Amino acid sequence: MKILLVYPHYPDTFWSFRYALKFIDRKASFPPLGLLTVAAMLPGQWEKRLVDMNVQALSDEELAWADYVFISAMTIQRKSAKEVIARCRQLGVRTVAGGPLFTACHDDFPDVDHLVLGEAELTLPPFLADLCKGGARHLYADERWADLRTTPIPLWDLIDVRNYAAMNIQYCRGCPFDCEFCDITTLFGRRPRSKTREQLIAELESLYARGWRGAIFFVDDNFIGDKGKLKREVLPAIIDWMDQKEHPFYFYTEASIDLADDPRLMELMVRAGFEEVFIGIETPYEESHAESGKVQNRNRDLLASVKCIQRAGLQVHGGFIVGFDSDPPSIFEKQILFIQESGIVTAMVGLLSAIRGTRLHRRLRREGRLLGDDSGNNMDNDLNFVPRMEVKALIGGYRTILDTIYSPRNYYQRVIRLLREYRPLHLGKFHLQPGYVGALFKSILFLGVIGRERLHFWKLFFWSLLRKPRLFPLAITYAVYGFHFRKVAEKIRRDGMFDGNGAWHEHDHYI
């Protein structure tokens, strides 16, 4: 059997980092971890190829070679996924689809031959068994949650790691919290399930053996869901392995704000090599947390929590949302003030989106306020529900936030504020990554000479060299990030428009 695994194109968004990747000569942020893991579950004697459309074009010759094309995608990749499916159908190649997009919206893809939904550990084996017998069904689903102790090491041999800015690993699935707007508990449940420390070390070893050095993203939606296991078993094992290997990697992940309440956990994470953590802060407005059921963010000083995490040695990246029913007219100014005071450089601000499968989606449907499906990109100005706030005010306020926080003056001010607060351990020796010397010179040219932010760039350049020399590479990295964020924000402003009725529309593509 010849299997072609295809990962559809990911459009330009704040998350793609596409403009920043050009500085380091990488083609994509991360490899398609789900497809690589599925590839490892397929029979060893089958021929396998992988095409990541974010790295290379998908040719008709590749499609014609395959007996089956396996496609996995997230909601934001819907347009590209539909194009791939149409090409396969035109060429007479059978398709197998799974992943978050198809699990949530499988009824939208009648042209897919076989839908293998949910967690592949449960639904892929019966599909493969039926396929080998010549009687595979159209749809496979399972209501149970998978045991991650059965998950294999991804088949890294199918990619060239040099194409990517970072590698990725999944340690756990599920989240103990159930925020109204989030679909994680629908996809993976509320009880965190995780791999063993032996599995995790084996995955790190597999990347080390392939010559990877540098960043690894733990893609868990809430890495600290099971704090006890992390502190007892997992983090001590990573610390020992990293010490033996002289710290070849550094890690970043996603976690809830209650990380700030556990100094021991933060200490172990930093010693293990974690340097960054993305946290869903959402809003500084307490009533909106109550509305959305985000209990972990309630009754706390969010700004103090962020500062605590930064001082522990972890850079905080933050997710923010506007468009809650409870949001007052002052929410835009409050968001800007919080982001600036917190020193959260990578502030991902989005419009509230009603994702299929969430409690928010069900509530808005009951209230008759749904307008359609979400695009998967909550920064594309495409509201899929009727907000309580007047639409023009909401979109205008949202654009004001983006214009303000990513203006060169405010952005570079946050970088310096973070570097003042941030207390890294500086474990191990410095590993110079391929392309990073070139990135320095490109940043000097494009940001320090040509760019409109050049005065702010040089202020940061010399301030970090003189005051925080060990953080100089980080300062330049954030300068490059700022270039990407401004390009995407400009594209949002350029491609969106109001119609005569005050409604907001996009041109027929994703931003």
Side-chain angles (χ1 to χ4, degrees):
M1 194 78 81
K2 296 175 181 176
I3 304 297
L4 180 67
L5 301 110
V6 176
Y7 194 57
H9 182 258
Y10 196 101
D12 287 350
T13 68
F14 274 64
W15 291 108
S16 72
F17 286 95
R18 187 156 286 127
Y19 298 104
L21 292 171
K22 295 175 181 177
F23 283 77
I24 57 172
D25 295 322
R26 306 296 172 90
K27 296 180 179 179
S29 296
F30 315 108
L33 183 64
L35 280 176
L36 292 170
T37 305
V38 165
M41 299 178 185
L42 300 178
Q45 68 271 25
W46 288 7
E47 293 184 62
K48 309 173 192 75
R49 296 179 185 174
L50 186 144
V51 173
D52 180 352
M53 295 177 66
N54 303 285
V55 169
Q56 67 186 89
L58 175 63
S59 68
D60 285 348
E61 289 75 18
E62 291 276 14
L63 292 173
W65 168 86
D67 294 315
Y68 283 87
V69 171
F70 280 51
I71 306 165
S72 178
M74 294 183 287
T75 304
I76 200 169
Q77 295 164 287
R78 177 193 295 265
K79 182 182 178 184
S80 179
K82 285 202 166 188
E83 291 170 354
V84 172
I85 294 164
R87 287 176 63 187
C88 289
R89 193 167 182 83
Q90 187 176 17
L91 293 168
V93 183
R94 298 184 71 80
T95 50
V96 181
L101 168 62
F102 300 99
T103 297
C105 310
H106 60 86
D107 290 340
D108 297 346
F109 298 93
D111 291 341
V112 172
D113 293 292
H114 304 287
L115 290 157
V116 182
L117 309 180
E119 297 182 283
E121 293 89 346
L122 295 172
T123 53
L124 188 61
F127 164 71
L128 293 176
D130 290 347
L131 185 64
C132 291
K133 296 174 189 172
R137 303 193 307 271
H138 173 63
L139 188 144
Y140 290 80
D142 197 309
E143 297 297 322
R144 298 171 298 167
W145 302 119
D147 183 348
L148 268 59
R149 291 175 296 181
T150 67
T151 307
I153 295 174
L155 199 59
W156 301 114
D157 294 341
L158 296 180
I159 62 165
D160 183 346
V161 297
R162 294 172 297 181
N163 287 324
Y164 299 95
M167 291 293 104
N168 41 12
I169 279 178
Q170 185 177 63
Y171 160 65
C172 67
R173 297 177 197 161
C175 179
F177 304 109
D178 189 23
C179 307
E180 185 187 43
F181 54 81
C182 182
D183 64 345
I184 295 308
T185 53
T186 301
L187 290 171
F188 300 125
R190 292 193 64 176
R191 182 178 62 83
R193 295 163 289 127
S194 56
K195 295 175 181 175
T196 66
R197 61 185 170 191
E198 290 79 14
Q199 282 176 285
L200 201 53
I201 296 304
E203 291 198 34
L204 295 176
E205 191 70 53
S206 71
L207 287 170
Y208 182 85
R210 281 162 178 79
W212 180 255
R213 303 292 182 271
I216 294 179
F217 178 35
F218 278 71
V219 301
D220 314 328
D221 297 291
N222 192 350
F223 179 70
I224 65 169
D226 186 344
K227 296 179 184 178
K229 183 176 178 179
L230 281 176
K231 290 188 283 190
R232 283 191 317 270
E233 304 174 24
V234 175
L235 291 172
I238 296 177
I239 290 169
D240 290 344
W241 186 88
M242 288 280 281
D243 286 343
Q244 292 169 21
K245 301 293 186 181
E246 298 183 319
H247 296 264
F249 306 139
Y250 68 90
F251 307 119
Y252 54 109
T253 192
E254 303 175 50
S256 43
I257 192 70
D258 54 316
L259 173 63
D261 305 334
D262 198 325
R264 176 61 177 164
L265 179 56
M266 290 189 288
E267 177 193 351
L268 288 172
M269 285 179 65
V270 171
R271 283 179 55 200
F274 284 85
E275 296 185 3
E276 308 169 32
V277 60
F278 179 89
I279 293 174
I281 293 168
E282 320 311 358
T283 176
Y285 195 60
E286 178 75 14
E287 285 78 358
S288 296
H289 291 301
E291 170 196 324
S292 61
K294 200 167 183 86
V295 296
Q296 66 273 32
N297 287 34
R298 297 189 64 189
N299 303 313
R300 72 164 60 239
D301 185 334
L302 289 169
L303 191 61
S305 295
V306 169
K307 298 289 186 185
C308 176
I309 296 170
Q310 290 169 338
R311 292 182 189 124
L314 293 163
Q315 303 159 50
V316 175
H317 307 307
F320 298 87
I321 295 174
V322 291
F324 292 111
D325 289 351
S326 305
D327 279 353
S330 61
I331 189 60
F332 310 107
E333 182 182 342
K334 288 182 177 181
Q335 290 277 27
I336 292 168
L337 185 62
F338 183 94
I339 290 166
Q340 288 303 120
E341 288 185 354
S342 68
I344 295 177
V345 181
T346 307
M348 302 294 191
V349 187
L351 290 164
L352 184 66
S353 184
I355 303 170
R356 202 185 296 191
T358 61
R359 292 192 294 117
L360 175 64
H361 190 276
R362 292 192 292 271
R363 175 169 69 82
L364 293 175
R365 184 174 56 200
R366 287 195 308 270
E367 296 173 2
R369 295 167 60 192
L370 274 181
L371 298 176
D373 284 328
D374 69 295
S375 69
N377 178 13
N378 68 342
M379 306 185 87
D380 68 358
N381 299 311
D382 188 14
L383 287 167
N384 73 328
F385 70 100
V386 179
R388 295 291 186 207
M389 187 181 294
E390 197 268 327
V391 172
K392 191 170 183 178
L394 176 56
I395 298 295
Y398 172 61
R399 285 170 53 174
T400 297
I401 293 176
L402 293 186
D403 289 344
T404 304
I405 67 172
Y406 287 115
S407 69
R409 177 178 173 272
N410 288 327
Y411 180 82
Y412 280 87
Q413 185 183 83
R414 293 204 306 281
V415 176
I416 291 176
R417 181 163 284 172
L418 168 67
L419 297 181
R420 284 189 174 128
E421 294 283 350
Y422 180 43
R423 301 285 186 271
L425 276 184
H426 296 300
L427 293 166
K429 59 186 179 182
F430 176 72
H431 294 277
L432 183 64
Q433 300 298 307
Y436 279 47
V437 172
L440 173 61
F441 288 107
K442 288 177 186 176
S443 70
I444 290 172
L445 174 62
F446 290 105
L447 308 181
V449 177
I450 300 173
R452 63 186 176 94
E453 68 265 52
R454 52 187 173 271
L455 292 178
H456 303 284
F457 174 83
W458 288 115
K459 178 182 177 182
L460 174 65
F461 189 99
F462 290 112
W463 182 90
S464 57
L465 270 182
L466 295 172
R467 300 282 189 89
K468 299 275 189 175
R470 294 198 70 173
L471 295 180
F472 177 73
L474 181 61
I476 299 301
T477 297
Y478 275 125
V480 171
Y481 283 3
F483 175 79
H484 167 77
F485 296 146
R486 278 190 297 281
K487 294 289 274 187
V488 174
E490 288 167 6
K491 195 171 183 181
I492 291 173
R493 174 173 283 280
R494 184 176 68 247
D495 290 356
M497 60 183 179
F498 285 102
D499 65 18
N501 300 317
W504 185 259
H505 296 293
E506 295 301 327
H507 301 308
D508 295 328
H509 62 272
Y510 291 118
I511 291 181

